[in-house]
Amino acid sequence: GAVEEKVVSVAQVMNVIQRGAAARATAATGVHAHSSRSHAILTLAVEHRWKPPSAGPGEYKSQTSRLTLVDLAGSETMERSHQGNVDSAGVGTNLGLLVLGRVIRALAEGEDDRSEER
């Protein structure tokens, strides 16, 4: 599940990433011995705070930036990962990736009307 953690050092960020990677599901396919079977999303929100020369006690300005990294589960082609056999699990994985890709693109573009994609 999703977890939000406040970190203040690179070492803490790396620890969060390592724990997330360890929690991912993997399985062997016809292509890779350890192919990811789950998606992962890492969103880093970085806040920069500073005290302007004119600021009073306890006053500061801040600016926040966000970086979102997405690692999708493996989507090997059917010929390579399933020895040419089209099975429901492979079709379901690829269909899920297609839909997830569309959702991510729409969120990134900030679209409100997605009727053109139908």
Side-chain angles (χ1 to χ4, degrees):
V3 176
E4 182 175 329
E5 294 190 32
K6 182 177 181 177
V7 295
V8 295
S9 70
V10 173
Q12 289 177 327
V13 170
M14 294 306 296
N15 182 271
V16 169
I17 291 171
Q18 287 172 348
R19 284 187 284 129
R24 293 187 74 183
T26 62
T29 67
V31 180
H32 304 288
H34 300 285
S35 182
S36 63
R37 303 287 93 198
S38 59
H39 308 308
I41 299 174
L42 173 67
T43 300
L44 299 172
V46 179
E47 182 181 21
H48 173 67
R49 293 183 181 185
W50 70 96
K51 185 171 184 164
S54 61
E59 292 181 353
Y60 63 89
K61 290 194 173 198
S62 71
Q63 183 176 13
T64 303
S65 297
R66 286 177 40 149
L67 171 67
T68 301
L69 304 173
V70 179
D71 184 12
L72 301 177
S75 62
E76 297 88 0
T77 62
M78 293 303 216
E79 293 80 19
R80 291 175 61 198
S81 63
H82 299 279
Q83 292 78 37
N85 298 322
V86 177
D87 63 4
S88 61
V91 171
T93 297
N94 287 335
L95 181 59
L97 290 172
L98 175 67
V99 172
L100 182 60
R102 287 181 177 170
V103 169
I104 291 169
R105 185 181 69 227
L107 290 171
E109 294 173 353
E111 292 180 358
D112 289 328
D113 181 13
R114 289 178 261 304
S115 60
E116 296 174 359
E117 295 183 16
R118 296 179 189 165

